[in-house]
Amino acid sequence: MNHLKAWLGIGLTAAVVAAAVAAPWLSPHDPLATDFAASLRPPGAPGHPLGTDQLGRDLLARVLHGARLALLIGVCTVVITAVGGGALGLVAGFVERWPAAVLMRLADVQLSFPFIILSLSAAGWVVYARVVRGEVLSVKQRDFVQAAAALGMSRVRLLLRHVLPNVAPSVIVVASLQFSSFIVAEAAISFLGFGVQPPTPAWGSMLSEGRDFLYVAWWLAAFPGAALTLTALGVNLLGDWLRDTLDPKLRV
Amino acid sequence: MRAYLLSRLAQTVLVVFLSLSAVFVMVRLSGDPVLLFMPMDIQAKDVNEFRERLGFNDPLPLQYARFVGGAARGDFGESLRYRRDALDLVLGRLPATLLLAATSWLLTMGVAVPLGVLSAVHRNTLLDHAGTVATVLGQATPGFWLGLMLIYVFSVKLRWLPTGGTGTPAHLVMPSIVLAAFFAARIARLTRSAVLDVLNEEYILTARAKGLGEARVIGKHTLRNSAIPIVTLAGLEAGQILGGAVITETIFAWPGLGRLTVQALLNRDFPIVIAAVFVISVTYTLINLAIDLLYAWLDPRVRLRP
């Protein structure tokens, strides 16, 4: 069962990445090109495997290009939050005392917020900060860190050379587990009308447009949502596998 | 105990105050609220009069002081759109959101905890594998997509349930399922692993060795000891369900707090946004306090310190 999950995760993630990279070759249509003569064609229509939307744009091309945007946003937010939250956690774990207290109160403020009001990168740092701080607290007690400190290594160098490499696996695991929630959150925000604006093909805004046509064209909502679900599924399974391999005790 | 409660309440006030200050800053950063609210063709003198009346011409520290002073008395100003007290409007929407949140929270717990326990007890059986598939899918499926697909199947095709709105129990079915799906998946996974952890403990072996029936071993010795992580997550989720209701309320046209907040954000009706953040963060911190008190009751080894 676990092998199956791991392979499914790797396969799905690889497929989504490949689809995003090869989008222009997989569908010859321009995701923005409208064709009113061919609007609201059902899936299987000639030349449009997934059908067309209310403006006659090819749905396959839009879903594929949506994958590019989703992955781009996922990677950017994960990098920003991992670097920001990780740095805060490193400092809080190393210095202890008041920075830790400030950090935990900030985390409370953050958690008591309705998520929608926050932009994505503002929301993700807390988990990294907490996990990294916990790891640093234990790593800095280990003998090799104590030894390096006794040899007169500076605190900054100690932190970067000896502590950081030892907390890196947890950061990677957290990043992979957060990736899909970022993609879904971005889609939710676009769905509500705050995020990526039409006509850019984003899964969230496509779903929101598809909602208005639910009575006549189910495929407009079904396919972007299915793409989103499969991506989230693949990345989640990949994250579980990474955790089991790199850091089985980690609880996020 | 009294010292603990007092210190926690003081922390609650601090957290709510910081949340409100953050919203104040964000509102000011997002642009001139007056211009954002006014129609495009308004004249400059009207803008200025409006600004003067709402106090936007005063220096920022003064505006902040007035904001904090008003907030302390529960006065968040008038809604720019409805010309009514913002807090009243928000509180008027609260019951609908609480009804939806409570229903889906009960649904979450009622489905997820038994599922998690059964999966752990019957580990590596067909039931466990089916449970794993369900939870993995539940965690990956975005609520707004699930909602649209349910509407398509049960409202558009089968015509069994209303697409949205409120009033009868039938209106509550799809929104609470959509809201519960994601959280139920998480609770079920956590319950399974927490129960598995406890089943490996020596006192469970002892309980079995002295001849206790399986129902007693699971029901009394295992469940109570695996309750702490489950209660923690259940509490966090009670708060997140309140916040997550935003999207579900939008899809199903549920007249709750979340929909009011989203519309207020789209209309730049900031007094409503601020009042909503206030109500949500107070509710959330109070839920967390209740959870911490529950810990001490569940596990007498836990000591509450101020």
Side-chain angles (χ1 to χ4, degrees):
Chain A
M1 193 70 181
N2 278 334
H3 279 284
L4 195 69
K5 274 162 68 180
W7 282 114
L8 191 63
I10 295 168
L12 273 175
T13 311
V16 173
V17 173
V21 172
W25 295 279
L26 287 173
S27 174
H29 297 279
D30 177 349
L32 298 180
T34 57
D35 176 7
F36 290 98
S39 66
L40 293 178
R41 291 273 162 86
H48 301 290
L50 296 186
T52 60
D53 70 2
Q54 71 278 15
L55 302 177
R57 296 175 293 196
D58 181 59
L59 196 57
L60 177 63
R62 289 181 67 72
V63 170
L64 289 172
H65 283 268
R68 293 185 152 191
L69 194 69
L71 292 183
L72 183 72
I73 288 171
V75 169
C76 289
T77 43
V78 159
V79 168
I80 293 170
T81 52
V83 171
L88 270 174
L90 267 180
V91 172
F94 207 64
V95 187
E96 276 179 69
R97 291 195 311 269
W98 66 265
V102 172
L103 183 76
M104 293 337 267
R105 287 291 80 78
L106 269 179
D108 277 354
V109 172
Q110 170 79 72
L111 288 173
S112 70
F113 242 74
F115 81 101
I116 209 71
I117 296 180
L118 288 162
S119 61
L120 293 176
S121 46
W125 64 273
V126 182
V127 187
Y128 295 97
R130 280 200 167 152
V131 169
V132 168
R133 174 171 170 265
E135 294 272 300
V136 170
L137 284 177
S138 97
V139 168
K140 75 175 183 188
Q141 300 301 336
R142 303 249 290 270
D143 288 342
F144 63 88
V145 178
Q146 302 285 336
L151 285 172
M153 189 179 260
S154 79
R155 285 163 70 86
V156 175
R157 209 171 134 77
L158 200 63
L159 194 61
L160 294 180
R161 281 299 300 264
H162 293 282
V163 177
L164 183 60
N166 283 290
V167 301
S170 332
V171 173
I172 294 172
V173 171
V174 176
S176 66
L177 293 175
Q178 289 227 306
F179 191 85
S180 68
S181 48
F182 280 145
I183 293 181
V184 172
E186 186 279 318
I189 291 171
S190 295
F191 180 79
L192 291 175
F194 298 104
V196 179
Q197 298 298 322
T200 312
W203 290 338
S205 51
M206 289 165 74
L207 271 169
S208 148
E209 287 172 28
R211 178 187 174 205
D212 301 334
F213 292 87
L214 204 54
Y215 279 86
V216 286
W218 56 270
W219 55 93
L220 290 186
F223 290 120
L228 181 59
T229 306
L230 285 178
T231 309
L233 182 64
V235 178
N236 277 350
L237 291 174
L238 186 69
D240 283 352
W241 174 71
L242 274 177
R243 178 188 55 201
D244 293 345
T245 338
L246 289 177
D247 200 353
K249 274 178 294 187
L250 186 72
R251 282 230 169 125
V252 180
Chain B
M1 188 63 192
R2 178 183 290 175
Y4 177 77
L5 275 181
L6 281 177
S7 123
R8 280 300 298 260
L9 284 177
Q11 285 182 26
T12 301
V13 172
L14 186 70
V15 166
V16 171
F17 170 74
L18 288 176
S19 299
L20 287 177
S21 302
V23 184
F24 181 84
V25 171
M26 268 190 276
V27 165
R28 287 301 178 276
L29 283 181
S30 73
D32 185 335
V34 176
L35 279 187
L36 290 169
F37 182 66
M38 289 284 152
M40 296 292 268
D41 51 357
I42 192 158
Q43 294 192 340
K45 94 174 161 35
D46 293 333
V47 172
N48 211 33
E49 193 198 310
F50 198 67
R51 222 180 242 158
E52 193 64 46
R53 213 168 66 196
L54 293 174
F56 285 127
N57 277 345
D58 298 331
L60 208 55
L62 182 63
Q63 287 188 41
Y64 180 67
R66 202 163 43 212
F67 167 70
V68 171
R73 282 178 282 112
D75 176 11
F76 296 93
E78 267 190 353
S79 153
L80 299 176
R81 189 180 177 83
Y82 302 105
R83 318 278 347 151
R84 280 181 50 203
D85 185 62
L87 190 61
D88 279 352
L89 276 169
V90 168
L91 288 177
R93 294 293 195 95
L94 194 58
T97 295
L98 285 181
L99 174 67
L100 178 59
T103 314
S104 50
W105 191 80
L106 287 177
L107 186 68
T108 301
M109 300 318 275
V111 172
V113 173
L115 182 68
V117 173
L118 283 175
S119 297
V121 174
H122 302 283
R123 195 182 178 187
N124 286 332
T125 59
L126 194 63
L127 180 86
D128 183 21
H129 293 323
T132 306
V133 171
T135 53
V136 167
L137 278 178
Q139 276 194 304
T141 312
F144 44 98
W145 186 56
L146 182 62
L148 289 180
M149 292 298 105
L150 287 180
I151 290 178
Y152 180 72
V153 174
F154 292 103
S155 305
V156 178
K157 282 284 141 188
L158 299 173
R159 298 179 181 279
W160 286 355
L161 293 167
T163 56
T166 175
T168 66
H171 286 99
L172 203 52
V173 175
M174 287 198 291
S176 47
I177 289 178
V178 166
L179 198 48
F182 175 78
F183 297 110
R186 263 207 331 210
I187 293 265
R189 273 183 92 165
L190 183 79
T191 306
R192 180 179 177 275
S193 73
V195 170
L196 279 178
D197 281 350
V198 174
L199 283 176
N200 286 327
E201 295 282 346
E202 284 176 355
Y203 53 80
I204 296 295
L205 193 67
T206 311
R208 285 193 172 133
K210 71 183 185 189
L212 284 186
E214 197 62 9
R216 235 179 125 69
V217 171
I218 302 297
K220 192 146 173 82
H221 293 251
T222 310
L223 270 188
R224 182 142 184 182
N225 282 298
S226 44
I228 289 256
I230 302 173
V231 169
T232 309
L233 190 62
L236 278 174
E237 294 199 340
Q240 287 174 357
I241 283 180
L242 276 179
V246 171
I247 290 176
T248 315
E249 286 177 4
T250 307
I251 298 173
F252 293 102
W254 187 264
L257 185 54
R259 206 160 134 245
L260 180 72
T261 314
V262 169
Q263 277 164 357
L265 268 173
L266 285 171
N267 297 328
R268 317 273 172 179
D269 197 343
F270 294 121
I272 290 194
V273 175
I274 291 171
V277 168
F278 171 76
V279 169
I280 294 176
S281 59
V282 167
T283 319
Y284 183 84
T285 39
L286 288 181
I287 290 175
N288 267 354
L289 177 59
I291 305 275
D292 284 348
L293 295 177
L294 197 58
Y295 281 159
W297 178 75
L298 277 170
D299 186 347
R301 285 169 300 184
V302 173
R303 292 268 171 275
L304 298 175
R305 281 191 213 93

